[in-house]
Amino acid sequence: MDSVDLEVLRTSIAWMEKNQRVLLVTVVRTWGSSPRPEGAMLAIRGDGVVIGSVSGGCIEDDLILKVRENGITNELPEMLTYGVSAEEAHRFGLPCGGTIQLMLEPLGRDSRLEQLVKEVERGNLTARHLDVRTGRVSLDRTHAVGRVTYNGNIFTVVHGPRCRLLVIGAGQLSTYLTQIASGLDYQITVCDPREEYLEEFLPPTVSLVREMPDDAVISMKLDARSAVVTLTHDPKLDDLALMEALKTDAFYVGAIGSRKNNAARRERLKLFDLSDEQIARLRGPAGLYIGSKTPPEIALSILAEMTAAKNGVVVGRLNTVRGAKERENQLGKISEQGVEFLESSCSTS
């Protein structure tokens, strides 16, 4: 759950405490392009005041207008679909003839938002099940990866803490990486036991720890909503973190460095208690191949690959730094062989 959606829930609770009627609008499903993902939320107060978003703005305006004109009259949840026709898609700003399906839920005392927020703040991944026939809500802890499901009767949204990012190394690249990652709403920890690396260039929301990297990985109890990137170029530090991180359920474990250094790193990791499958999870050199040279570009490359992994997007080998560089070398060798062939042909003619 990102900070925006969490604030939607908190604000809804505050409104209800003041005896205001509240309509919670959640994205159930989208077809075509959509500016907001499934599970995104919008809360509308009885007087039309809103927080959150489910689209680029036009759908929000239509929902606000309906509430202002009619109030929040429904007692049970109901489904609403926008963009079925090309005319509607154009009217509501849905690109490429997109369609968005929304769940409109009138909130009440039995909505269990307070308990849900407490579970999320405790770091628990929690499924909220809404029975659309009765409006009743149940909660349970879960390990499910999928965020939204709907079987026609039960609408389930999985809520959880923000994704966590552990960065090993507090250098210049870390500054750019954490700045961009902060904008992506990661909960960020930087680990660097070297006192000479200062924390003053890191964003104020970042936590800096001075323990050894393997201890940091173990103490954070990394789960499937966690990512690790090693940036020190020091095997004594990076390898300590990787040997523990690769044993966890972290969705992304990456290391910067050349292909040669990462190949040597993989050989070193074989000396530890790691299986071939675990070592194969290492993304190194970390990042998508975008021709990056400067620290900000490298940070962008790493976070692009991390975002793809978080969203379950399979990146082709040639799109990774490792794969693209290998391809360049192959093409270079082919080109050199062609030149040698031409030179030898000319010399014998």
Side-chain angles (χ1 to χ4, degrees):
M1 175 185 290
D2 61 33
S3 57
V4 174
D5 289 335
L6 185 58
E7 191 60 30
V8 169
L9 297 180
R10 288 172 174 155
T11 302
S12 297
I13 293 169
W15 285 344
M16 287 191 292
E17 288 175 346
K18 296 179 180 179
N19 296 318
Q20 297 274 1
R21 291 222 66 187
V22 182
L23 184 70
L24 182 65
V25 183
T26 308
V27 177
V28 178
R29 191 177 177 189
T30 62
W31 294 265
S33 300
S34 175
R36 292 288 282 149
E38 295 174 358
M41 293 182 293
L42 164 77
I44 309 177
R45 203 168 64 185
D47 57 358
V49 174
V50 301
I51 183 171
S53 65
V54 292
S55 76
C58 293
I59 289 177
E60 284 85 346
D61 291 343
D62 187 63
L63 291 169
I64 293 169
L65 180 61
K66 290 178 179 178
V67 168
R68 284 179 173 170
E69 289 182 345
N70 306 311
I72 301 173
T73 58
N74 50 317
E75 297 297 329
L76 293 175
E78 63 179 79
M79 191 77 73
L80 187 61
T81 301
Y82 285 92
V84 173
S85 66
E87 181 182 351
E88 280 187 318
H90 176 74
R91 175 190 171 196
F92 295 112
L94 294 170
C96 303
T99 301
I100 184 169
Q101 196 174 54
L102 304 173
M103 182 66 70
L104 277 56
E105 176 191 355
L107 297 178
R109 293 181 179 179
D110 298 327
S111 298
R112 308 190 69 178
L113 294 192
E114 297 92 338
Q115 184 181 349
L116 174 63
V117 169
K118 288 179 181 178
E119 289 293 327
V120 171
E121 290 175 341
R122 291 174 185 143
N124 297 322
L125 204 60
T126 305
R128 181 176 184 265
H129 309 285
L130 171 67
D131 189 327
V132 299
R133 299 162 299 183
T134 64
R136 293 176 181 171
V137 171
S138 62
L139 304 176
D140 62 60
R141 294 184 185 179
T142 181
H143 299 287
V145 177
R147 188 178 181 189
V148 177
T149 58
Y150 178 55
N151 64 9
N153 294 321
I154 306 298
F155 176 53
T156 299
V157 181
V158 176
H159 301 270
R162 290 184 295 165
C163 287
R164 294 182 294 164
L165 171 60
L166 172 61
V167 179
I168 308 301
Q172 185 185 36
L173 178 54
S174 304
T175 299
Y176 291 106
L177 186 76
T178 54
Q179 285 175 346
I180 302 173
S182 294
L184 295 173
D185 208 39
Y186 280 90
Q187 181 180 331
I188 307 167
T189 300
V190 173
C191 172
D192 199 325
R194 303 169 298 181
E195 294 294 338
E196 61 270 25
Y197 282 83
L198 303 176
E199 62 178 302
E200 59 189 80
F201 300 109
L202 297 174
T205 55
V206 172
S207 299
L208 178 68
V209 297
R210 293 296 189 182
E211 60 188 328
M212 293 303 291
D214 53 337
D215 293 330
V217 173
I218 293 171
S219 64
M220 285 183 65
K221 298 179 180 178
L222 302 178
D223 55 20
R225 298 173 64 82
S226 305
V228 181
V229 184
T230 64
L231 304 178
T232 72
H233 289 289
D234 184 346
K236 295 190 300 294
L237 298 177
D238 289 349
D239 289 4
L240 282 174
L242 295 172
M243 62 183 285
E244 295 298 337
L246 290 169
K247 298 176 186 176
T248 71
D249 293 328
F251 70 84
Y252 183 92
V253 180
I256 63 167
S258 66
R259 287 177 295 131
K260 179 180 179 180
N261 287 340
N262 270 283
R265 175 180 287 118
R266 287 182 172 87
E267 291 301 315
R268 291 195 302 271
L269 289 173
K270 291 179 181 179
L271 302 177
F272 299 102
D273 185 24
L274 290 170
S275 67
D276 291 341
E277 290 77 12
Q278 289 171 329
I279 295 174
R281 294 182 56 223
L282 175 63
R283 298 171 187 260
L288 296 185
Y289 185 66
I290 57 174
S292 53
K293 302 293 183 183
T294 65
E297 291 177 343
I298 295 171
L300 183 64
S301 167
I302 294 171
L303 283 165
E305 185 179 44
M306 189 185 303
T307 301
K310 179 173 70 72
N311 293 335
V313 175
V314 178
V315 175
R317 181 175 175 80
L318 292 181
N319 295 114
T320 65
V321 172
R322 181 182 178 188
K325 289 291 187 180
E326 289 175 352
R327 180 62 173 168
E328 283 184 350
N329 283 353
Q330 291 173 356
L331 292 176
K333 290 179 181 179
I334 292 173
S335 178
E336 290 175 3
Q337 291 170 356
V339 171
E340 292 173 356
F341 174 77
L342 289 174
E343 289 177 345
S344 63
S345 297
C346 291
S347 64
T348 56
S349 59

